[in-house]
Amino acid sequence: MKAIIINEFGTSDVLTFIDCPKPTISEGEVLIRTTHTSVNFADIKNRTGNKAKANFPMVLGLDVAGVIEEVFNDSSGFQKGDQVIAFPKNGAYAEFVVAKEQLVFKIPSGVPIEKVAAVPTVLFLSYMLTHQIAAIGQQDAVLIHAASGGVGTMLVQMAKRLGAKQIIGTVSNLEKAPIVYELGADHVLTYDQFSTNVNELTKGQGVDIVYDSIAGAITEESLTCLAPYGTLVQFGNSGGRVGNIKTADLHNSCRNIKGFSLGTTRALKPELLQQVAQDIFSLVNEDSFQVPIAKIFALEEMKKAHEFMESRQHQGKILIKI
């Protein structure tokens, strides 16, 4: 089969297109013929060594859509030919991948595979953030950082569907603002003095929920526009720097900080994903639910796909068609 591997950490130049043996499965696993995968920011961090442990040769990638090619035995909940999305065991940038059955989800009839293929990671993540980790109510003002990206475009739509009182998104430049407005945001800001602008837009009250995947100074500044009893959800550090939070910023104002990782949840509590899977498919099947695709690349064009993500010029998901 064809696959993209890395043999060392580094720039996009380490991504290598090769022929390699098709993987084999064990009990509780399925073999999937991949039709699509996607590029997530975690892939960039894994490639550069900022997240992954060295285990070369390494296949990157978090999620796939495809067709069941092989099951281990007749007791499997799947059969050959089932269309599925999955979080594979050893990376996603390959024509065939192995996944544990508890991290495989059968696509219901009628759900468009290319639409759902773009969103396994970002949609599971955004759904759980907005419905469970910091559930949005109709009286909530919400701030969503990186609002034009893959997770951000999902979060904006979730906030709109849940009836948030006010939705504010941040982007790196206002050329990205139109897509955020289209998906339901009331205001779109750049990161320059965003907290001052948020406080003005909320008449000094601040927002009730902040969804932050950037960390560093953005996390720190977010606390200056978080309302009393508000929640800051920290679920990534795409900016590459940790944010420092003081306990004094919390107890007097009755605010709280929550952390969430989809990767940790896949590893430790995969049943939580199974519980929301049908809601995810129902959303994707709605014509009104948009899945913005920034660009589609072929597997052998993975280097260009990574460079496109690192340019931060994309709006929506970067999809790989295999």
Side-chain angles (χ1 to χ4, degrees):
M1 70 171 187
K2 302 288 187 183
I4 298 284
I5 65 164
I6 65 171
N7 288 302
E8 60 181 322
F9 295 131
T11 68
S12 60
D13 290 333
V14 302
L15 295 163
T16 307
F17 187 55
I18 66 161
D19 280 303
C20 60
K22 188 187 298 185
T24 57
I25 59 174
S26 302
E27 188 170 359
E29 298 176 344
V30 293
L31 182 68
I32 300 169
R33 176 170 53 82
T34 308
T35 61
H36 301 82
T37 183
S38 64
V39 180
N40 294 280
F41 197 81
D43 301 348
I44 307 298
K45 298 188 72 173
N46 285 334
R47 192 202 73 217
T48 57
N50 289 332
K51 190 172 183 180
K53 296 178 181 178
N55 185 22
F56 304 121
M58 185 187 301
V59 178
L60 302 177
L62 301 180
D63 55 46
V64 299
V67 179
I68 298 291
E69 180 75 9
E70 182 185 342
V71 298
F72 188 74
N73 54 39
D74 292 340
S75 65
S76 171
F78 300 92
Q79 59 184 9
K80 184 173 181 177
D82 285 343
Q83 285 194 323
V84 296
I85 56 172
F87 299 103
K89 184 178 169 184
N90 294 309
Y93 295 176
E95 290 181 325
F96 292 90
V97 300
V98 173
K100 296 179 180 178
E101 288 195 7
Q102 58 192 171
L103 291 172
V104 181
F105 310 88
K106 193 179 299 184
I107 301 173
S109 176
V111 175
I113 191 167
E114 192 161 287
K115 190 177 181 183
V116 74
V119 293
T121 295
V122 298
L123 191 48
F124 272 97
L125 174 56
S126 59
Y127 187 92
M128 295 182 77
L129 288 174
T130 55
H131 289 73
Q132 297 176 354
I133 310 305
I136 296 175
Q138 294 186 353
Q139 296 305 309
D140 289 332
V142 177
L143 174 61
I144 298 166
H145 289 309
S148 67
V151 180
T153 54
M154 300 294 107
L155 287 172
V156 171
Q157 291 182 85
M158 295 290 181
K160 186 71 173 178
R161 294 173 67 87
L162 291 167
K165 178 175 66 177
Q166 191 174 31
I167 304 169
I168 304 170
T170 57
V171 293
S172 57
N173 65 75
L174 290 180
E175 292 178 1
K176 298 180 178 181
I179 192 172
V180 186
Y181 280 120
E182 180 185 345
L183 295 174
D186 299 298
H187 306 280
V188 182
L189 310 169
T190 65
Y191 298 113
D192 184 36
Q193 297 184 318
F194 72 85
S195 61
T196 299
N197 294 322
V198 167
N199 284 327
E200 289 177 357
L201 291 168
T202 58
K203 297 181 170 56
Q205 299 300 305
V207 292
D208 301 287
I209 305 173
V210 177
Y211 295 105
D212 166 40
S213 60
I214 302 176
I218 299 298
T219 301
E220 294 162 7
E221 187 176 342
S222 293
L223 284 171
T224 66
C225 61
L226 182 64
Y229 297 93
T231 300
L232 187 153
V233 184
Q234 217 297 309
F235 62 98
N237 65 329
S238 63
R241 192 174 78 81
V242 298
N244 295 306
I245 296 166
K246 300 174 184 176
T247 55
D249 289 331
L250 304 178
H251 69 277
N252 285 339
S253 60
C254 301
R255 299 181 299 183
N256 64 90
I257 310 291
K258 289 187 175 183
F260 185 73
S261 163
L262 189 65
T264 301
T265 304
R266 289 196 306 265
L268 301 182
K269 292 195 172 185
E271 67 275 9
L272 297 182
L273 305 186
Q274 291 287 347
Q275 290 168 14
V276 302
Q278 290 311 307
D279 291 336
I280 298 296
F281 288 125
S282 295
L283 270 176
V284 174
N285 206 28
E286 292 184 16
D287 291 338
S288 61
F289 190 81
Q290 298 185 49
V291 178
I293 305 295
K295 200 167 182 179
I296 300 175
F297 293 88
L299 183 62
E300 58 266 31
E301 297 177 307
M302 191 63 75
K303 181 176 182 292
K304 292 180 180 178
H306 271 230
E307 290 168 352
F308 185 47
M309 172 158 272
E310 288 179 288
S311 75
R312 297 187 183 271
Q313 296 305 305
H314 66 289
Q315 299 177 42
K317 285 297 296 178
I318 299 171
L319 189 62
I320 309 297
K321 190 169 185 177
I322 300 176

